[in-house]
Amino acid sequence: MNVDGQGPAWANSLFEDNAEYGYGMAIAVAQLRKRIAQKMREALKENLMSAGLLNAFKEWLEGKDDAEKSKAATVKMLPLLENESNPLAMDLLALRQYLIKKSIWVIGGDGWAYDIGYGGLDHVLASGEDINILVLDTEVYSNTGGQSSKSTPVGAVAKFAASGKKVRKKDLGAMAMTYGYVYVSQVAMGANNSQLFRSIKEAEAYKGPSMVIAYSTCINHGLRHGMNKSQEEMDQAVQAGYWQLYRYNPQLGNEGKNPFILDSKEPDWTKFQEFLANEVRYSSLKKMFPAEAASSSKRRRERKMEVDEL
């Protein structure tokens, strides 16, 4: 928080209603800012304020959906409003915390996003509202003991999947992209930091729903080199082709460009089995259920061939 008392705010919801909780906040803020804009337009129409204040209103209306521009206009506006004593000035001062554009992010894990909260997540993405979603994808129900989720990949060992997950991981990003107006990206901090920051910036700047899916190492993965090597593990996941980095920006499509950008380099498939062997969730399957491990490996090869064809 800065010297002006401004900074990030945090609120917790129930596990399953994360998206709806943040959506309600986004709708509320949007409505309050519409009320501010309406009052300013009325003031401009009726010429109710001083020339300096009316100019500040014009500046705010032009840049209200840009964080820096709305902040600059607010800095000019507030001292002038405080010198006014009419009802309109009082109303605007009462709404002062909504003058600067807010960045609203819904943050949750894959158990919520892929499973128990997917209905709400899908509803929010389909709404077209300007809201941002960050999914921390551990590929397992981390907070409740490591149960298998729809994000768990084929062959991974987890609770309720002791002999390895039998079906393919749900592709949340591909499903969101089918809407055509949702910004979607997949990131991995340890693999490409700049791509992560670019995705966050683009998602925030996009005027509509956006979702960033972040590969997140977890204690349930059983990293052989320890959790202190999480960043390196993310990098190896991308190098081996286990996790892809991409951005889907509908705005590029509106400009006649390809909205899909693959940020990953060509994977080194020779590292794929080595990557799996470094995580207990995969290596234990080979020891305990060798036949299942062979079957899972076959399904992964088939999936790789599908990806190569694309």
Side-chain angles (χ1 to χ4, degrees):
M1 187 170 291
N2 62 20
V3 294
D4 298 319
Q6 300 167 338
W10 177 269
N12 286 46
S13 70
L14 296 173
F15 175 56
E16 66 271 19
D17 70 352
N18 198 358
E20 298 94 318
Y21 189 72
Y23 181 58
M25 291 185 181
I27 291 293
V29 169
Q31 290 301 316
L32 288 167
R33 299 191 87 233
K34 284 181 182 177
R35 185 186 301 175
I36 291 172
Q38 182 180 354
K39 289 181 179 294
M40 288 186 182
R41 291 190 181 102
E42 289 174 359
L44 288 166
K45 184 178 180 181
E46 302 295 333
N47 200 27
L48 296 175
M49 301 288 192
S50 66
L53 197 48
L54 292 176
N55 286 333
F57 286 174
K58 289 178 183 177
E59 184 178 340
W60 187 88
L61 289 168
E62 290 172 359
K64 69 182 182 69
D65 294 326
D66 182 283
E68 292 303 317
K69 290 180 180 178
S70 65
K71 183 177 180 180
T74 299
V75 169
K76 296 177 183 178
M77 188 190 309
L78 286 178
L80 298 173
L81 282 174
E82 289 168 353
N83 289 329
E84 297 282 346
S85 58
N86 61 60
L88 178 57
M90 296 300 103
D91 288 345
L92 290 174
L93 285 171
L95 296 169
R96 65 194 300 164
Q97 65 172 308
Y98 301 104
L99 288 169
I100 299 174
K101 181 186 180 296
K102 296 185 183 297
S103 174
I104 298 177
W105 284 83
V106 171
I107 305 173
D110 55 274
W112 154 71
Y114 286 74
D115 284 345
I116 193 168
Y118 175 71
L121 173 70
D122 179 62
H123 176 74
V124 171
L125 291 177
S127 71
E129 188 66 33
D130 187 7
I131 188 170
N132 308 298
I133 296 169
L134 174 62
V135 179
L136 304 175
D137 193 348
T138 66
E139 301 187 322
V140 70
Y141 270 96
S142 307
N143 64 323
T144 54
Q147 294 93 338
S148 174
S149 80
K150 290 188 181 72
S151 177
T152 304
V154 63
V157 173
K159 288 184 179 180
F160 308 124
S163 60
K165 179 88 173 292
K166 299 298 188 295
V167 293
R168 185 182 298 174
K169 172 177 178 169
K170 180 179 183 178
D171 196 335
L172 187 65
M175 294 170 74
M177 281 187 277
T178 60
Y179 280 113
Y181 55 82
V182 178
Y183 177 94
V184 185
S185 70
Q186 271 197 181
V187 303
M189 180 186 291
N192 192 328
N193 225 332
S194 61
Q195 190 260 354
L196 164 64
F197 291 136
R198 188 182 302 117
S199 295
I200 295 294
K201 287 182 178 180
E202 288 180 351
E204 168 58 29
Y206 181 67
K207 306 305 180 190
S210 63
M211 180 171 64
V212 177
I213 306 171
Y215 183 67
S216 305
T217 50
C218 169
I219 194 170
N220 295 112
H221 294 177
L223 305 188
R224 292 200 176 277
H225 301 296
M227 286 299 292
N228 63 325
K229 297 295 183 180
S230 290
Q231 298 294 308
E232 290 86 343
E233 193 74 7
M234 293 181 198
D235 189 27
Q236 291 169 14
V238 173
Q239 286 186 36
Y242 180 88
W243 184 264
Q244 296 78 39
L245 307 180
Y246 65 77
R247 289 169 290 137
Y248 176 84
N249 191 344
Q251 186 60 44
L252 294 178
N254 296 335
E255 298 170 3
K257 303 175 184 177
N258 188 343
F260 183 85
I261 300 172
L262 181 64
D263 293 311
S264 303
K265 295 180 180 179
E266 183 74 22
D268 184 351
W269 295 111
T270 63
K271 296 181 179 180
F272 192 83
Q273 292 301 324
E274 179 186 352
F275 170 78
L276 297 183
N278 283 331
E279 298 193 358
V280 175
R281 59 175 172 159
Y282 290 113
S283 62
S284 61
L285 182 66
K286 191 173 183 179
K287 292 180 180 179
M288 301 295 293
F289 302 94
E292 291 292 344
S295 176
S296 296
S297 180
K298 180 182 178 182
R299 289 197 293 272
R300 281 193 290 265
R301 284 197 298 272
E302 291 172 350
R303 176 58 176 163
K304 172 188 173 297
M305 291 174 65
E306 291 176 8
V307 173
D308 286 346
E309 289 175 2
L310 292 174

